[in-house]
Amino acid sequence: MFRQLQNIDSAFRHIRSFSLVFLLACMAVSGTALYLSYRQVQAVQERIYVLAGDKALEAFSTGRRENIPVEARDHVRTFHRYFFSLDPDDKVIEANMRRALYLADASAKRAYDNLRESGYISGLISGNISQEIAVDSVQVDTGQYPYHFRCYARQKLIRATSILSRSLVTEGFLRSVSRSDNNPHGFMIERWTTLENKDLHTQNR
């Protein structure tokens, strides 16, 4: 009888040990599954798919610090394109300037006011002259904040009988601001000045 009791007690200990090991194994498997699922969800959330026609292109999200030089150069290009792309239409000029002035501080507004007061804008309109700009390069120093930049570009003044080419060099500083629809890069151009704006050559049309 005592042997039967010992067998029952031994069997109970074995069952308890087996149940405990099985429980720990289940917890380990569940924990591993949850961890792997969490990592998979994070990896999926970092992927962005952009539809281009009938194709889905994958894009990856990164921190802003990694993109500062690229975004800063594009901000400077965008500002110069709006500020210097002028057609002989007062409404077009005002619309472009309004977009440009969202990207810069009062230094750009002063430059625009000087162009108006000097008669440059009215001369474009009355002479049916279009002005275009092509940015050659933008140098941005991200080693010190606010970021200093220098922009090298070429201007074309298109008249009825000729095309005047000019070289343009400007510089300024970039300060970080909140992103918005009017300022998607989140930069503000400060202390913007023109270093060079000289005639290169004239081409007959």
Side-chain angles (χ1 to χ4, degrees):
M1 181 177 178
F2 288 108
R3 183 175 296 175
Q4 290 178 349
L5 292 175
Q6 287 178 355
N7 290 340
I8 293 173
D9 186 53
S10 176
F12 177 73
R13 283 200 303 271
H14 285 307
I15 292 173
R16 185 176 60 183
S17 299
F18 176 77
S19 300
L20 183 60
V21 170
F22 181 74
L23 179 62
L24 291 176
C26 289
M27 290 177 64
V29 170
S30 300
T32 304
L34 288 173
Y35 174 72
L36 293 176
S37 299
Y38 176 72
R39 288 190 59 183
Q40 184 67 23
V41 168
Q42 276 191 323
V44 169
Q45 287 178 343
E46 290 177 356
R47 294 181 181 179
I48 302 170
Y49 292 92
V50 180
L51 294 177
D54 57 350
K55 295 181 180 179
L57 306 177
E58 184 177 356
F60 294 92
S61 61
T62 59
R64 191 189 184 194
R65 182 169 294 277
E66 301 173 17
N67 291 329
I68 281 179
V70 176
E71 291 198 59
R73 287 193 295 268
D74 193 57
H75 183 87
V76 173
R77 285 192 185 95
T78 302
F79 167 76
H80 283 76
R81 187 173 67 250
Y82 285 142
F83 194 91
F84 290 102
S85 294
L86 305 175
D87 285 316
D89 186 321
D90 198 42
K91 291 184 178 179
V92 173
I93 293 174
E94 288 180 4
N96 284 349
M97 287 298 174
R98 187 165 53 250
R99 295 187 186 100
L101 295 179
Y102 277 118
L103 309 178
D105 68 354
S107 59
K109 180 67 165 60
R110 284 194 298 271
Y112 173 56
D113 290 340
N114 290 338
L115 290 176
R116 274 209 170 276
E117 290 171 6
S118 66
Y120 183 81
I121 300 295
S122 60
L124 292 179
I125 297 172
S126 62
N128 288 323
I129 302 171
S130 295
Q131 179 176 283
E132 298 177 354
I133 185 170
V135 176
D136 294 325
S137 65
V138 178
Q139 298 175 354
V140 180
D141 179 13
T142 58
Q144 187 174 0
Y145 183 82
Y147 311 123
H148 176 264
F149 74 86
R150 183 165 289 183
C151 177
Y152 298 88
R154 288 172 290 109
Q155 286 178 276
K156 284 185 179 180
L157 273 73
I158 304 171
R159 299 183 173 92
T161 58
S162 65
I163 298 176
L164 172 63
S165 295
R166 285 180 177 173
S167 66
L168 175 69
V169 181
T170 67
E171 70 174 1
F173 294 86
L174 291 169
R175 174 172 58 90
S176 296
V177 295
S178 300
R179 296 176 189 261
S180 67
D181 291 338
N182 295 316
N183 190 341
H185 294 107
F187 287 111
M188 179 66 63
I189 293 176
E190 298 181 322
R191 291 172 278 169
W192 181 61
T193 57
T194 299
L195 302 179
E196 176 184 287
N197 191 11
K198 65 180 181 180
D199 295 350
L200 295 177
H201 57 83
T202 302
Q203 175 185 351
N204 293 326
R205 296 185 64 189

